[in-house]
Amino acid sequence: MKQEVRKEYYLFSPFLRIFHWLMVIAIIVLFITGFLITKPPAMLYAEPDASPLLMNVTRNVHFIAAFAFCAGFIGRVYGFIINRGDRLFPHFWEKKYYTDTMEVAQHYMLIKATHKPFLRNPLARGSYAGLYVLVAIEVLTGFAMYYMTEPSAIGGTLFGWVNAVLGGEMISHYVHHYAAWAIILFAIGHFYMVVRAEFMEGEAEVSSMFAGSKLLRHTPADASDVE
């Protein structure tokens, strides 16, 4: 029997883990309902009032998921404040960050057999930072459209400037729509990299988002970020 010595690294607070899984559910719900809102399916109804009722329910589910997502993000910000592992963002100011990112990218493209061990590799850090930019775009454009039913109310005052900056509510709709597709592309790439790291490299990517910790046999290059 082979015996291995592993060290535990506590990474993710409960606030980040809850937000992560809330985000997974919310993205699925928001994408499906958003797609139905953008391109409603053609259906025949026995009663004329059934069709608008169905779309009204779809819109309400979309809005509830959006507000739940924003509520979860508030908890994620709190985790960012209290736990170092929640702050694993890219070190754009370091040259080493870019060389390490290229090494990891070549590994995932099957050009290199291995890469240096990381708690959170620089390619993942950069992609997550990009995800939060897309999330910010979705929140701003989403609320900008949502509150245009009452432009003079508090919500319209807080988010109406987004429509003005982009050049109109219709442009906000287009930006909201294409940012959603970008998030879906991120999710596909994220799923591939996480499953690969979990089962082919033993990096405990999936389990760490449940337990909050990683048990690693090696010393990661970025261990100082959480120690």
Side-chain angles (χ1 to χ4, degrees):
M1 181 180 294
K2 183 179 179 181
Q3 185 175 3
E4 289 185 338
V5 177
R6 291 176 176 250
K7 183 176 180 180
E8 180 178 2
Y9 295 90
Y10 180 72
L11 293 181
F12 308 124
S13 72
F15 301 98
L16 186 143
R17 281 176 274 152
I18 291 171
F19 172 70
H20 174 271
W21 294 113
L22 176 62
M23 183 168 62
V24 171
I25 297 171
I27 285 176
I28 295 173
V29 173
L30 288 168
F31 184 79
I32 294 174
T33 54
F35 185 79
L36 292 174
I37 292 170
T38 303
K39 292 186 178 297
M43 297 181 182
L44 297 177
Y45 294 89
E47 297 295 333
D49 60 349
S51 178
L53 177 62
L54 178 63
M55 184 50 59
N56 188 51
V57 171
T58 302
R59 286 168 55 85
N60 287 338
V61 171
H62 189 82
F63 299 150
I64 291 171
F67 280 106
F69 178 88
C70 292
F73 186 73
I74 294 173
R76 194 265 181 270
V77 172
Y78 181 68
F80 177 92
I81 295 171
I82 67 172
N83 183 51
R84 294 184 67 183
D86 287 14
R87 301 195 291 269
L88 297 181
F89 284 103
H91 297 169
F92 291 126
W93 57 91
E94 297 179 0
K95 180 180 178 182
K96 182 175 176 293
Y97 166 79
Y98 298 97
T99 56
D100 288 344
T101 299
M102 287 301 300
E103 179 184 346
V104 173
Q106 289 174 339
H107 171 67
Y108 282 113
M109 291 188 292
L110 307 178
I111 297 174
K112 294 190 67 173
T114 60
H115 65 75
K116 284 187 294 187
F118 297 97
L119 287 171
R120 180 64 71 214
N121 72 64
L123 180 62
R125 293 189 186 204
S127 63
Y128 298 146
L131 173 64
Y132 285 120
V133 171
L134 291 172
V135 166
I137 293 172
E138 288 292 89
V139 170
L140 291 174
T141 55
F143 281 130
M145 292 184 291
Y146 178 78
Y147 285 115
M148 284 304 97
T149 54
E150 295 184 74
S152 59
I154 296 177
T157 303
L158 291 175
F159 296 98
W161 62 269
V162 177
N163 294 327
V165 169
L166 293 178
E169 188 176 346
M170 195 63 194
I171 303 300
S172 295
H173 166 78
Y174 287 134
V175 172
H176 191 79
H177 179 83
Y178 289 116
W181 280 104
I183 290 175
I184 292 301
L185 292 177
F186 164 85
I188 294 171
H190 177 64
F191 181 79
Y192 160 71
M193 290 189 287
V194 165
V195 171
R196 179 188 173 96
E198 176 75 21
F199 295 103
M200 297 182 66
E201 300 167 21
E203 293 293 338
E205 288 292 330
V206 177
S207 55
S208 66
M209 199 50 70
F210 288 99
S213 300
K214 286 187 177 183
L215 295 172
L216 303 180
R217 67 176 69 91
H218 50 253
T219 301
D222 55 348
S224 60
D225 287 353
V226 296
E227 291 179 333

